[in-house]
Amino acid sequence: MENLAKAYDPREFEERIYKMWEDEGHFHAKVNPDKKPFTIVLPPPNITGQLHMGHALDHTLQDVLIRWKRMQGYEALWLPGTDHASIATEVKVVDRLMEDEGKTKYDIGRDEFLIRAWKWKEEFGGRITDQMRKLGDSCDWERERFTMDEGCSKAVTEVFINLYDKGLIYKGNRIINWCPDCLTSISDAEVEHEDKPGKYYYIKYPYADKRDEFFIIATTRPETIFGDTAIAVHPQDDRYKHLIGRKVLVPIVDREIEIIADEYPNMAKGTGALKVTPSHDPNDFEIGIRHNLLRISCINEDGTMNANAGKYVGMDRYDCRKELVKELQQRELIDMIEDITHAVGTCYRCNTVIEPRLSDQWFVKMEPLAGPAIEAVRNKETVFVPERFDKIYYHWLENIRDWCISRQLWWGHRIPAYYCNDCDEMIIQKTLPKTCRRCGGSNIHQDKDVLDTWFSSALWPFSTLGWPDKTPELEYFYPTDVLVTGYDIIFFWIVRMMFSGIAQMGEVPFSDVFVHGLVRDADGRKMSKSLGNGVDPLDVIEQYGADALRFMLITGVTPGNDTRFKMERLESSRNFANKLWNASRFVLMNLTDEKIDEENAMKNLRMEDKWILSRINNEASEITQNLEKFELAIAIQKIYEFIWNEYCDWYIEFVKPRLYSEDIEDKNTVRYVLTSVMRDMLKLLHPFMPFITEEIWSHLPGTDERLISSKWPEFDDIRVFTTEEEQIKLVMEIVRSIRNIKAEMDVPPSKKISAQFIPGNETIKRFIEESKSYFKTLINVETIGFSENKESLSDNMASSVIDGVEIFIPLADLIDFDKELERLNREKERLDSEIKRASGKINNKSFVDKAPEQVVTAEKEKLEKYREMQNKIIERIDQIKK
């Protein structure tokens, strides 16, 4: 029988195994009425992106769930795809065009630019999916989608027209977030707010009827005074009530504007009044609507000042601010300047400060869509894990403004709005009209803008399954089961998928939202290019293997919380893989090609065999429960501890003498148990570390299927051996105690010793007698003896106390009594601490009243046990002192 390679080297098999899985169709899910579906849609990474640690965590969590459900017998679909990423991709293509040809996109025109963009997508768009394969993502690549493929584009147009026909999409002249660098509008969700140092400029507005008196306004943006059309004060502000209706002059411009009453001004902020610039502030825009104010724009799309700024025309907005403040100071129209820190909105793509700007844009009316999405979470149709994240969801939807969906870009889904050049009629339909429905003319052009990237992403759970067509896949796989995502895009994406799914499909797009945190560096800082602290997952995979990376990422995760990337944890993960590899090699070396009679082996089980079979049986049940609750880190910790401690460090050591014996029947029992348990533990570990488990599995005799498609272990009542679990637990405690005594006394582990026991009862005595072979094998105890009390024992002994038995080791001249006394005093201090802790709980009335009865009882039992152990230690100390 072929064994594993001597050294664990994931580079030797990870790529081969992934190709095998993909070639054999193990990732592909079909419409299967005989199976229950389980669906995850991959949050589509941008085609401009490369795999980073955030992706690695996000994808590993999804892959664990999909592999687990596949093994449980579900028709498990993990649907992959990529996002066209309007702004990010357009920037890449524009930069490449300038670098290669020295041209702008306007030099080559829209049609040629789109040809270049599609070429760029074909060249680089598959890069991240290739990287996903290296991580082990078991996606159904036969169903891979792209947000601008034919089917998804069809869905986008359909939804746009549906919402327009219902009055939920409209074109309007409203304040939007404008990026002067990207030269496009962006949605509220795409604005990142940062606290930055700034200034309050207290500007003096002369009264129109008395120019030597002034109304003072504090503003952070003096350059927008060219667009001022009113001053607003709160109607309840006693300082200004008498001034309502009076007129002032805008400095420099000398335009008369009125002091109006509105409830928006904060009486405690600045001077309690504010200048109203409807074209450059969203709140001022609303005030302008309420009071029918004039709208004057003074800043261009590129962030420069326009003709309404007079002599400052063409100047950058920040240069204008500096020069304007100088002029105002020269005219003695600045009362004071105050240093402040304030929240500044920046573009999520380029970090340019956003310019609120009045513009003709397309909007989705959000209030009618937000209501059902809020109710769906309140009614538990969709559940957030952890639940606390529904607060972010509610906050965003309850305070949502209409969504600006148009972008002044060329790459993306072009808005299906057409205009007649002869009569200005606007037509909304799927394709270019041949003639105008109003005047019959054929001189028609399409809207130049494209839709926000998130508009198409919002349809991802159903557009990828064939909607608007009623496909078998849509009927079978929708709604999906789990959406795995970072908390940073709850408002970007989850909110939009929720209201889109409910509006178009009539039901929520997923039942659970599993929220994870960010991957930070070892110091807790966010990984970023600017800090230079990013770690490339592909570099890690090359050095340590994908399994080690996956293991490291998941062991540090608790739902919703950030995790830290630490190299020492990665080393530990690699060590675990090595441990598993070496243990598997040992097992395989001791197997034969001969088929073992399972029934006969089960009849000849010894205590340690029953113990390990019972333990893996319990682990299967507990790990399944953990996975069902999205406790992935707890699940992997349990299988890690089982493999490392119980299987490798204990069971294999227990049975080595039996493997080397001449008893063929007993050898076969051991072989059966070793392989049976190994099969189950490989299955339990497979979703987390798929490559190494599949490679080891392929070497086990009698495996006629791939591990990826094998059956997930289920709890089996026949394999419950509670008595043997308790018995082996006592053996392990005795072994640990004697090992500790040897270590503390600097006695070599190989030194043969004898041991004396004072058992708590006859049952324990009989059990220790029957277990002496374990003590000989594991800790070189050659002989054992029993005493009823310490008086019959020599004083020259090291001792240990565990529950149910006292252990004494004659150490003769190997130790001095001072050292033994020191050790016993340490043990006494430990027990003193435990007694103090347990007593504190028992004497705490609040604990006794509130804790469940069984918890209180358990604490009382612990306290009694610690006191018994303490008394025995004190007796031993007294003996040595004598």
Side-chain angles (χ1 to χ4, degrees), residues 381-574:
E381 295 170 54
T382 294
V383 176
F384 280 82
V385 182
E387 200 169 353
R388 70 178 186 271
F389 283 99
D390 60 12
K391 292 180 179 63
I392 297 175
Y393 177 85
Y394 290 139
H395 176 76
W396 190 258
L397 280 172
E398 287 166 354
N399 297 279
I400 201 163
R401 297 191 303 178
D402 286 355
W403 173 20
C404 176
I405 55 170
S406 45
R407 298 289 180 269
Q408 290 61 55
L409 301 166
W410 287 355
W411 173 247
H413 296 100
R414 199 163 173 181
I415 291 173
Y418 301 89
Y419 306 91
C420 176
N421 296 332
D422 298 325
C423 71
D424 293 331
E425 175 73 358
M426 184 174 73
I427 306 161
I428 305 297
Q429 65 179 53
K430 295 177 183 178
T431 56
L432 177 69
K434 292 181 179 178
T435 57
C436 173
R437 63 190 176 192
R438 183 178 176 190
C439 71
S442 57
N443 190 11
I444 297 171
H445 72 276
Q446 187 175 357
D447 197 302
K448 293 179 181 179
D449 290 351
V450 299
L451 287 163
D452 179 7
T453 297
W454 296 102
F455 192 93
S456 53
S457 302
L459 319 182
W460 193 246
F462 54 91
S463 65
T464 51
L465 294 170
W467 189 91
D469 298 331
K470 293 183 178 179
T471 63
E473 286 80 5
L474 185 65
E475 182 71 24
Y476 183 67
F477 289 112
Y478 188 92
T480 69
D481 291 272
V482 185
L483 190 280
V484 180
T485 184
Y487 59 67
D488 52 335
I489 61 169
I490 288 175
F491 47 81
F492 273 125
W493 194 39
I494 296 171
V495 162
R496 288 163 176 164
M497 282 191 289
M498 283 292 287
F499 69 67
S500 298
I502 293 168
Q504 305 303 325
M505 297 294 296
E507 55 186 327
V508 296
F510 25 73
S511 53
D512 290 294
V513 179
F514 178 27
V515 183
H516 60 78
L518 307 177
V519 181
R520 297 185 178 275
D521 71 7
D523 298 319
R525 300 175 301 171
K526 187 174 180 179
M527 289 186 174
S528 68
K529 288 181 181 177
S530 58
L531 290 174
N533 62 345
V535 179
D536 188 340
L538 296 181
D539 291 343
V540 174
I541 290 170
E542 175 64 25
Q543 186 175 354
Y544 293 93
D547 286 326
L549 174 61
R550 290 166 63 112
F551 182 89
M552 186 277 292
L553 288 170
I554 292 194
T555 50
V557 166
T558 53
N561 296 323
D562 293 342
T563 185
R564 295 189 181 190
F565 182 94
K566 295 183 177 180
M567 291 306 296
E568 56 266 32
R569 285 181 49 224
L570 196 56
E571 293 284 353
S572 297
S573 302
R574 170 67 185 245

